[in-house]
Amino acid sequence: MTSRKKRRMTLIGLGMLALAGATAMVLTAFQENVTFFYSPSDLQNKDVPKGRNFRVGGLVAEGSVEKIGDGATVQFVVTDGGGTVPVRYRGLLPDLFREGQGIVAEGKLNGQGVFVANEVLAKHDENYMPPEVADALKRSGEWQKGQATADGAVQ
Amino acid sequence: MQAVSEFLTMGGYGVYVWPSYVLAVLIMGGMLGLTLARLRVTKRELKGYEQVHAAHRKRRGRGGED
Amino acid sequence: MTSQAASNPPGSRSLHRFANPGRFLRLADAVLPWCAGLTAIALAVGLAAALFVAPADYQQGESVRIMYVHVPAAWMALFAYTCIAVASAAALIWRHPVADLAARSASPLGAAFTFLALATGSLWGKPMWGTWWVWDARLTSVLVLFFLYLGHMAISNAFEDPGRGRKAAAILALVGFVNVPIIKFSVDWWNTLHQPASVTRIGVPTIHPSMLWPLLLMGVGFTLFFFTVLLLRMKSELLAARLRNLRMLSVEGR
């Protein structure tokens, strides 16, 4: 290899390295802004914008979903194992919404500490299997309830 | 018959599943079609020019490499 | 193209074994029938498996079938960009004309696959997540990838002097490559609505074998399709360059 080619190669290598470093720094600086949602424990530990719209993500706690008032409003508890927050929502729920499922809600906290959502999105986990396999896993007790979904929903 | 309509409905998700597959066929078929069409046109023109070029060379008695 | 190849110093001859357009054309003609045949087989079997054989998902029901198009398209979106970046580096370092041609020919294909991944993802997201689009890190970084492809295509053709355009496009391709690991790891680094990877996990994939094999087959089919169309496009470009030379010769000869 001639020295000109070697120089071009070094130049490109160094350029890519500098670029990667700069990008890493920018992304670290904007970490908070890139975060799509806060977890319920973030709500307790971190300063979460009061009175402003933000997103909360976690698992819908088992047995917590209830219809309130006119029947079109639902309230449920979102948990991440560490903290919990009650969420109230009026509107259409996505098909994947169910107890034990990861969700992301957008809205704001009211004075009573209830998160009033104007949008609820379901989060899918990374598990794909036919229903029979899921049933068999549940029967044999190998199903770690919430484990896989918690991995996907709360990080 | 019922099996066919069941298949087309896709458990209620037909309106999302079928457009996905149609889009894939259109986009990938389009890529291939455009590429082949361009290749065909270039090949045809090239053939024409090569014949003309060969005739020129013959007339001038040059032949061989150019 | 030909003048560039001829101006290479003699020391680099071994590296230019495939840089010779004539040799490349012969190689492409030998490989193409096999590539095309295997593509047809893989896509036909994969499509049948995805639509008829693969089971419905325990949570997503039949909508899981969108995955067999969406995931391979997204893989190709990243794969095509990686190919472009590697080819661009080769083109910049060794002044390799066929590498440059490969980079230019691949970017419309990558753009099309990226668009397909975005559109099918949207069609899955609406019923499953409850929204067509969210600005989370994964979706946003893939949209950036789409615009990088468009930029690469535009710059390649923007300059009067094709050599300068190619150099600028190659630099853009290398700069844009930082986005590829960002896309791949966005689902692990940040809270995103998009789920983490299922297939490329260390240990066991979290996708049942009955769904994994049709997905992998579709992935193979998409990859072969990419190479088939890429070779056809490169061949087409080389023949077009030969045509331009002949035109100039016949004008001069007259």
Side-chain angles (χ1 to χ4, degrees):
Chain A
M1 203 183 304
T2 63
S3 68
R4 266 213 346 262
K5 288 194 181 87
K6 224 173 228 162
R7 207 174 55 225
R8 283 204 289 263
M9 200 187 257
T10 323
L11 210 68
I12 289 175
L14 285 177
M16 295 294 283
L17 217 65
L19 198 69
T23 316
M25 275 186 260
V26 169
L27 289 179
T28 316
F30 286 107
Q31 179 80 37
E32 291 290 295
N33 301 45
V34 179
T35 293
F36 188 64
F37 56 83
Y38 295 95
S39 66
S41 16
D42 286 343
L43 259 59
Q44 286 158 6
N45 306 331
K46 286 190 198 168
D47 271 341
V48 171
K50 286 253 156 60
R52 218 187 70 198
N53 259 14
F54 65 98
R55 297 192 191 87
V56 166
L59 300 178
V60 179
E62 295 283 345
S64 74
V65 180
E66 50 176 336
K67 287 201 157 81
I68 54 167
D70 51 5
T73 308
V74 285
Q75 183 158 330
F76 50 88
V77 174
V78 169
T79 173
D80 64 344
T84 59
V85 61
V87 175
R88 192 177 296 158
Y89 175 64
R90 187 190 161 86
L92 268 175
L93 289 164
D95 293 5
L96 277 181
F97 181 91
R98 60 201 71 170
E99 289 177 359
Q101 182 75 32
I103 62 110
V104 177
E106 185 175 349
K108 45 180 114 171
L109 277 174
N110 70 7
Q112 289 90 53
V114 175
F115 189 81
V116 182
N118 46 40
E119 187 177 39
V120 171
L121 303 177
K123 200 171 164 359
H124 183 54
D125 56 49
E126 67 274 41
N127 295 300
Y128 298 79
M129 64 183 98
E132 312 87 72
V133 176
D135 288 344
L137 276 179
K138 279 176 192 159
R139 263 201 311 277
S140 70
E142 270 182 62
W143 186 270
Q144 294 131 318
K145 191 67 221 162
Q147 150 101 50
T149 23
D151 269 1
V154 184
Q155 288 188 1
Chain B
M1 203 56 229
Q2 206 198 327
V4 174
S5 85
E6 227 168 67
F7 177 67
L8 289 178
T9 340
M10 284 275 162
Y13 294 121
V15 284
Y16 301 107
V17 173
W18 293 118
S20 300
Y21 279 82
V22 169
L23 214 58
V25 170
L26 283 182
I27 288 177
M28 290 168 74
M31 282 194 265
L32 183 65
L34 282 177
T35 304
L36 285 178
R38 240 183 98 194
L39 183 62
R40 200 171 305 131
V41 170
T42 312
K43 265 184 174 166
R44 202 172 48 217
E45 286 186 24
L46 197 59
K47 213 171 190 177
Y49 263 96
E50 265 164 357
Q51 274 162 3
V52 171
H53 202 65
H56 266 280
R57 272 199 307 226
K58 220 173 198 173
R59 213 165 47 225
R60 289 162 182 238
R62 266 199 293 161
E65 289 254 284
D66 51 23
Chain C
M1 183 119 310
T2 36
S3 65
Q4 238 181 337
S7 68
N8 278 306
S12 58
R13 204 178 298 139
S14 62
L15 272 166
H16 281 271
R17 215 145 30 98
F18 301 107
N20 179 328
R23 198 186 302 254
F24 174 81
L25 275 177
R26 278 198 297 282
L27 189 77
D29 280 334
V31 172
L32 263 169
W34 293 96
C35 223
L38 288 173
T39 305
I41 294 170
L43 284 183
V45 180
L47 202 64
L51 285 174
F52 303 104
V53 183
D57 183 67
Y58 77 116
Q59 282 195 315
Q60 308 164 56
E62 302 284 348
S63 76
V64 73
R65 300 195 195 282
I66 296 174
M67 171 186 74
Y68 300 109
V69 180
H70 171 75
V71 172
W75 283 343
M76 293 323 294
L78 291 180
F79 180 70
Y81 200 92
T82 310
C83 289
I84 291 174
V86 171
S88 298
L92 283 177
I93 297 168
W94 293 291
R95 303 279 192 258
H96 198 307
V98 175
D100 178 75
L101 178 64
R104 275 183 298 129
S105 305
S107 66
L109 301 179
F113 279 122
T114 312
F115 179 80
L116 185 59
L118 287 170
T120 52
S122 206
L123 283 163
W124 182 85
K126 183 57 189 170
M128 290 298 114
W129 287 342
T131 180
W132 297 104
W133 181 262
V134 288
W135 293 100
D136 83 345
R138 170 56 77 80
L139 276 68
T140 308
S141 55
V142 174
L143 188 65
V144 169
L145 180 72
F146 182 62
F147 287 123
L148 281 172
Y149 275 124
L150 295 188
H152 186 257
M153 284 158 67
I155 291 182
S156 309
N157 304 314
F159 289 81
E160 284 283 310
D161 168 19
R164 275 181 64 199
R166 284 165 200 173
K167 199 169 174 187
I171 291 169
L172 173 80
L174 286 177
V175 169
F177 188 71
V178 286
N179 193 32
V180 170
I182 292 178
I183 292 176
K184 173 78 185 92
F185 296 110
S186 57
V187 288
D188 303 323
W189 290 344
W190 300 290
N191 290 336
T192 53
L193 188 60
H194 197 285
Q195 55 269 34
S198 299
V199 177
T200 56
R201 269 165 69 119
I202 298 163
V204 226
T206 56
I207 172 166
H208 194 263
S210 62
M211 297 169 164
L212 183 61
W213 75 261
L215 178 63
L216 292 180
L217 194 56
M218 285 296 265
V220 170
F222 272 52
T223 312
L224 286 168
F225 177 87
F226 169 73
F227 281 120
T228 305
V229 181
L230 180 65
L231 283 177
L232 283 172
R233 291 179 68 86
M234 291 172 71
K235 184 179 163 182
S236 181
E237 280 291 311
L238 285 175
L239 291 183
R242 186 182 280 176
L243 183 63
R244 277 193 298 276
N245 279 347
L246 272 180
R247 268 193 189 132
M248 266 155 66
L249 272 177
S250 64
V251 168
E252 282 163 11
R254 212 160 268 155

